[in-house]
Amino acid sequence: MDSILIENLVSPITLAFLLGIVATLIRSDLEIPEPVIRIFAIFLLFSIGLQGGRELATADLSNVMGAITVTAIVVLVIPLLAFLVARHVIRLSIVDSAGVAALYGSVSSVTFVVARAYAEGAGTPMEGYVTGLVALMELGILVALFYGRVALSRAEGTGGVPLSTILMETLRGRGLLLLGGGLLIGAVSGEANFTRIEPFFVDLFRGVLVLFLLEMGMTAGRQLKDFARVGGRMLAFGLAMPMVNGFVVSGLATLAGLPMGSAFVLGAVAASASYIDAPAAVRATFPEANPSVYLTASLGITFPFMLLAGVPIVWQMTAFWQGL
């Protein structure tokens, strides 16, 4: 696990985020124009949706209703819990709380890969349909941003607006439309059609992501003082939230009848936090949210913790539930 941790901490994605922070701290004249950042965000969100839809189309979900039920609970409850804790315990603003909820309500693809390898190494590989369930967990981004819009409408004195109206405003948002629309297109277009666009939307994804994280690092660097204000509380949140999620979800998955490997991977993924998928959606929906709070917590605290200690701990949690 140590080698996996080191490999991911020195990956171009992580280092680009750190370089952006350094560029701001040394007052570099490096700047990425805002229209270019918008193009990056559009590309990333649409690509994420397309790839997630492709995975769903090839996954056999017909005989796993218990697992789908657990996934639905994860998608609805974890973003709400993260939002409430961020808003009322850490006392962040509504938009920053929505950003935290989106990242912690979503999943980390790197953590998923590590958990899958961990389960295989232990001789209990996950079942194939889990990949489709993980793709469905990306919907936690939409749920979190919906919660944020509801809270914002009430705070602005427009609490009488029907929830259906707020839902439609959320779905009409650029980021959510691209993510959900891409998911649908990727699911129905078929493998032959997807192969034609794969060189652009898959092969270029990591390169564009590196540039996007560079800009996010610069934005975070400009607002580090705001993170310092809540740093201690966000540190506790970034360590405790994954363990609560992992414990509960691995237990629910076991109760639903999933075998050890599958229950463990779902628990580990639920314990993770996105630093790749969700930031683009947050940036598009709540541009005033502070990435030095939500992204630094996810990338700087939860991500290394999960790879170093969190994944093995969730394994032990799952073993506990399976033993019962």
Side-chain angles (χ1 to χ4, degrees):
M1 296 301 295
D2 290 342
S3 62
I4 295 174
L5 173 67
I6 294 173
E7 179 181 350
N8 285 287
L9 289 181
V10 299
S11 71
I13 294 172
T14 306
L15 294 179
F17 177 71
L18 296 177
L19 177 62
I21 294 178
V22 171
T24 299
L25 293 179
I26 65 174
R27 299 183 180 180
S28 169
D29 59 359
L30 175 64
E31 181 181 358
I32 301 178
E34 182 63 28
V36 176
I37 296 302
R38 291 181 182 178
I39 293 174
F40 288 167
I42 290 172
F43 173 85
L44 292 173
L45 286 170
F46 199 45
S47 177
I48 291 164
L50 288 171
Q51 294 182 56
R54 181 192 196 183
E55 293 175 354
L56 283 177
T58 58
D60 183 11
L61 303 179
S62 58
N63 299 318
V64 288
M65 290 308 300
I68 294 176
T69 301
V70 173
T71 303
I73 293 173
V74 169
V75 168
L76 294 174
V77 174
I78 288 182
L80 177 60
L81 177 62
F83 180 84
L84 292 176
V85 172
R87 180 69 177 138
H88 299 291
V89 177
I90 305 177
R91 299 190 180 279
L92 300 178
S93 67
I94 291 176
V95 293
D96 286 341
S97 298
V100 169
L103 268 66
Y104 283 84
S106 183
V107 299
S108 165
S109 57
V110 174
T111 305
F112 168 60
V113 172
V114 171
R116 182 175 61 185
Y118 195 100
E120 291 173 353
T124 56
M126 71 175 201
E127 297 176 276
Y129 62 79
V130 175
T131 300
L133 298 179
V134 172
L136 284 174
M137 287 183 181
E138 294 285 4
L139 296 175
I141 300 173
L142 312 186
V143 174
L145 298 182
F146 172 69
Y147 291 152
R149 282 189 178 271
V150 171
L152 198 60
S153 70
R154 292 179 176 176
E156 292 174 348
T158 56
V161 177
L163 290 180
S164 59
T165 301
I166 298 174
L167 177 61
M168 289 307 301
E169 290 178 354
T170 304
L171 294 176
R172 280 196 295 261
R174 178 184 60 188
L176 307 189
L177 184 64
L178 288 168
L179 190 64
L183 194 70
L184 178 62
I185 292 171
V188 303
S189 60
E191 187 64 25
N193 287 324
F194 190 90
T195 302
R196 298 170 185 169
I197 62 174
E198 187 171 5
F200 183 76
F201 283 105
V202 178
D203 296 347
L204 296 181
F205 181 84
R206 292 278 170 176
V208 174
L209 180 63
V210 168
L211 292 175
F212 183 77
L213 264 292
L214 174 64
E215 193 277 337
M216 293 297 286
M218 289 189 289
T219 303
R222 289 191 290 268
Q223 302 174 4
L224 277 178
K225 290 182 179 179
D226 293 333
F227 181 78
R229 179 172 52 84
V230 295
R233 286 169 286 171
M234 286 306 301
L235 174 62
F237 177 88
L239 297 177
M241 187 75 182
M243 293 296 92
V244 172
N245 293 342
F247 183 74
V248 172
V249 173
S250 62
L252 289 175
T254 299
L255 184 63
L258 274 68
M260 177 69 187
S262 298
F264 157 67
V265 172
L266 278 184
V269 170
S272 68
S274 172
Y275 65 92
I276 294 177
D277 303 351
V282 175
R283 178 67 181 256
T285 307
F286 293 117
E288 65 273 28
N290 186 348
S292 71
V293 173
Y294 62 78
L295 188 55
T296 303
S298 171
L299 185 59
I301 299 172
T302 301
F303 173 66
F305 168 71
M306 283 302 299
L307 294 189
L308 183 61
V311 169
I313 292 174
V314 175
W315 174 265
Q316 295 299 325
M317 291 176 175
T318 310
F320 165 78
W321 288 116
Q322 295 278 322
L324 294 179

